[in-house]
Amino acid sequence: MRGLDKDVSVVAAARADRAEIERFHTHRYVDRVLHDEARGIDYLDNGDTPVFPGLYEAAASVVGAGLDGLSRVMSGECRRTFQPIGGLHHARRDGAAGFCVFNDLGVVIESLRTEHGVQRVAYVDIDVHHGDGVFYAYEDDPDLIFADIHEDGRFLYPGTGHANESGTGKATGTKLNIPLAPGAGDQTFTEAWTRVVAHLRAFQPQFFLFQCGADGLEGDPLAHLRYSPRVHAHAARSLCHLADEYAAGRLMAFGGGGYNRGNLARAWCSVLRELVNV
Ligand SMILES: [Zn+2]
């Protein structure tokens, strides 16, 4: 792992402006974040997502970093980005959830469409929690190709992502949810991953987003899967190859969750090593 920082350009986060945040979020919700911070309200939701001084600026910087990465990829300055503080996949268009204030992924998806003319986007999520904020925002969108491997919602927050949730209306079949039983490890993941690859190949996306949460690793205090960092390397390598094949290499990776610091380092360095070397 050592020396990886010398193989990448490290860029400071820019802050997204309000109009950019509102490509995904409602005006009313952005107002609420500002007002709740000013008033010192305890939580944006029912007790998961705390308000603190500087909250808006921090959340807007997460979105800004994503948009900065997107513009660098679209300009051809680089093919791939990795944003460790990002991938806040639980936030909804009109509300916070699960530690997530603004959904940087949603803003990037909207920006791909409205600012860059890229319509068919793959969203792949291996965080241990279901990416409900992205899934339900695009459940009926046939051009958002969604694949999510997570711990079964019967045992873990947010309780969604069942195998029969495959998209609605014209989008039926564009979404793949694969819940795993508590205790599942690398072999189960690798078997599930072959289905993700087949799903992505069937739709040939023009751009790849990868939420690579580290909370599926064994020893995470919030969840119950038993991955090793090989899972993250395997998924990252595979997505690099698919992005090269279908999307001129364009791939943005986002750190997502993870509540054991050693696991964060191991999982994210595994991803970054593949992004640099493949
Ligand atoms: Zn998570």
Side-chain angles (χ1 to χ4, degrees):
M1 307 284 179
R2 272 176 248 134
L4 268 178
D5 57 326
K6 300 191 177 51
D7 293 328
V8 298
S9 301
V10 179
V11 180
R15 203 193 311 177
D17 65 29
R18 195 166 166 160
E20 290 169 331
I21 294 167
E22 290 180 9
R23 288 175 190 163
F24 181 79
H25 290 288
T26 62
H27 186 77
R28 190 174 163 179
Y29 171 56
V30 178
D31 266 347
R32 223 191 91 214
V33 175
L34 285 163
H35 293 162
D36 285 4
E37 182 182 345
R39 286 200 302 262
I41 303 290
D42 286 344
Y43 290 96
L44 289 173
D45 52 12
N46 291 326
D48 281 334
T49 312
V51 175
F52 55 88
L55 169 78
Y56 183 89
E57 184 177 354
S61 298
V62 172
V63 174
L67 291 176
D68 183 64
L70 176 61
S71 68
R72 288 171 196 273
V73 172
M74 294 310 297
S75 74
E77 185 182 328
C78 59
R79 278 183 305 162
R80 301 167 186 150
T81 63
F82 176 66
Q83 180 181 336
I85 309 302
L88 304 185
H89 61 170
H90 296 305
R92 306 185 308 267
R93 290 187 189 274
D94 62 352
F99 319 143
C100 302
V101 179
F102 295 141
N103 193 322
D104 49 327
L105 305 153
V107 175
V108 167
I109 292 166
E110 295 299 327
S111 302
L112 274 164
R113 272 105 179 249
T114 60
E115 310 303 306
H116 299 287
V118 176
Q119 196 64 25
R120 203 164 56 260
V121 178
Y123 173 79
V124 181
D125 186 326
I126 64 167
D127 189 284
V128 78
H129 303 97
H130 181 231
D132 56 344
V134 176
F135 180 77
Y136 291 109
Y138 297 98
E139 191 177 17
D140 60 353
D141 182 329
D143 285 324
L144 197 282
I145 311 308
F146 181 99
D148 192 322
I149 302 176
H150 49 270
E151 183 173 335
D152 192 320
R154 288 175 296 175
F155 307 98
L156 191 69
Y157 179 92
T160 53
H162 305 293
N164 64 359
E165 294 188 276
S166 63
T168 56
K170 271 193 272 184
T172 301
T174 61
K175 312 292 184 275
L176 178 65
N177 280 299
I178 305 181
L180 303 184
D186 290 13
Q187 191 181 337
T188 310
F189 178 90
T190 307
E191 288 163 11
W193 187 258
T194 62
R195 295 176 55 204
V196 171
V197 172
H199 182 69
L200 296 170
R201 284 193 182 285
F203 294 100
Q204 308 196 355
Q206 301 162 286
F207 197 102
F208 284 73
L209 301 175
F210 178 34
Q211 205 274 22
C212 57
D215 41 13
L217 261 58
E218 183 165 17
D220 187 274
L222 298 192
H224 321 95
L225 298 188
R226 302 183 63 184
Y227 299 157
S228 81
R230 284 189 292 274
V231 153
H232 289 69
H234 182 73
R237 192 181 318 127
S238 172
L239 288 179
C240 284
H241 288 310
L242 288 168
D244 285 348
E245 195 170 338
Y246 296 116
R250 299 181 303 199
L251 167 67
M252 294 178 70
F254 299 82
Y259 307 95
N260 172 315
R261 285 192 178 181
N263 282 349
L264 283 178
R266 285 185 280 277
W268 291 350
C269 285
S270 295
V271 169
L272 190 55
R273 188 174 47 190
E274 299 301 325
L275 299 192
V276 165
N277 291 335
V278 171

